[in-house]
Amino acid sequence: MRIAILGAECTGKSTLTEAVVSRLHTASTPWVCAAEYLRDWCIQNQRTPHPTEQYAIAQAQIARVQMLSANGTSVVADTTALMTAIYSDLLFNDNSLYAAALEHQHTYDLTLVTSTDLPWIADGFQRDGPAMRTAVDRTLRDVLQAQHIDHSVI
């Protein structure tokens, strides 16, 4: 089984992902977290990505989930390539990542979207601010609805 936790920045995705994995994981039914590749990338490179680096980041997120679930282990993804596609669209006016990201998004059994009701807190390279968070949230919900991807907002 695969669960995707999506949402704009500073909406509690990572915290929720860890809590869900902790709650669901048992010896007989293992669950793992597919951490956000973009966060790792930014820490390693000490910057945010350029437009030409977005595709590789989205593909790495997809590969991370596929590798973790390859042996039948259930995965909770702390974001998916769809979020990279949305940011690429909003920040760089590049919608080329949507096709692969949406194809992969359809492989999830459950998609949860975190709402923007938590306070926005700057904490590193990825933080764009409350205005961008609102735009990302609106775009995410619009894309999921337009693509008929069932989801629940939490």
Side-chain angles (χ1 to χ4, degrees):
M1 181 166 190
R2 290 182 180 173
I3 298 173
I5 298 182
L6 306 179
E9 64 182 28
C10 298
T11 57
K13 294 181 305 292
S14 299
T15 301
L16 180 60
T17 298
E18 292 171 12
V20 170
V21 169
S22 177
R23 177 75 170 110
L24 295 176
H25 181 79
T26 66
S28 62
T29 310
W31 281 81
V32 296
C33 170
E36 179 184 12
Y37 182 79
L38 174 61
R39 180 180 305 274
D40 297 341
W41 190 97
C42 289
I43 291 168
Q44 179 181 351
N45 292 280
Q46 294 293 293
R47 64 177 175 84
T48 57
H50 299 296
T52 57
E53 296 165 319
Q54 293 288 98
Y55 175 80
I57 290 167
Q59 290 301 305
Q61 185 69 38
I62 290 170
R64 184 174 275 188
V65 171
Q66 290 174 332
M67 189 246 339
L68 289 170
S69 62
N71 66 352
T73 300
S74 295
V75 174
V76 181
D78 178 3
T79 204
T80 70
L82 181 55
M83 294 310 304
T84 306
I86 288 170
Y87 276 99
S88 193
D89 185 8
L90 292 173
L91 293 172
F92 307 121
N93 199 29
D94 174 11
N95 64 6
S96 67
L97 303 182
Y98 279 117
L102 288 166
E103 181 180 336
H104 179 71
Q105 194 64 41
H106 283 285
T107 69
Y108 288 87
D109 300 292
L110 177 64
T111 298
L112 301 175
V113 175
T114 54
S115 73
T116 58
D117 57 348
L118 295 175
W120 182 86
I121 300 170
D123 73 346
F125 297 107
Q126 298 172 267
R127 303 301 176 224
D128 294 310
M132 177 58 98
R133 181 169 83 162
T134 300
V136 168
D137 181 67
R138 183 176 38 252
T139 302
L140 171 59
R141 293 177 194 219
D142 289 348
V143 168
L144 291 171
Q145 183 176 8
Q147 295 298 315
H148 306 287
I149 297 174
D150 289 333
H151 61 282
S152 296
V153 177
I154 53 172

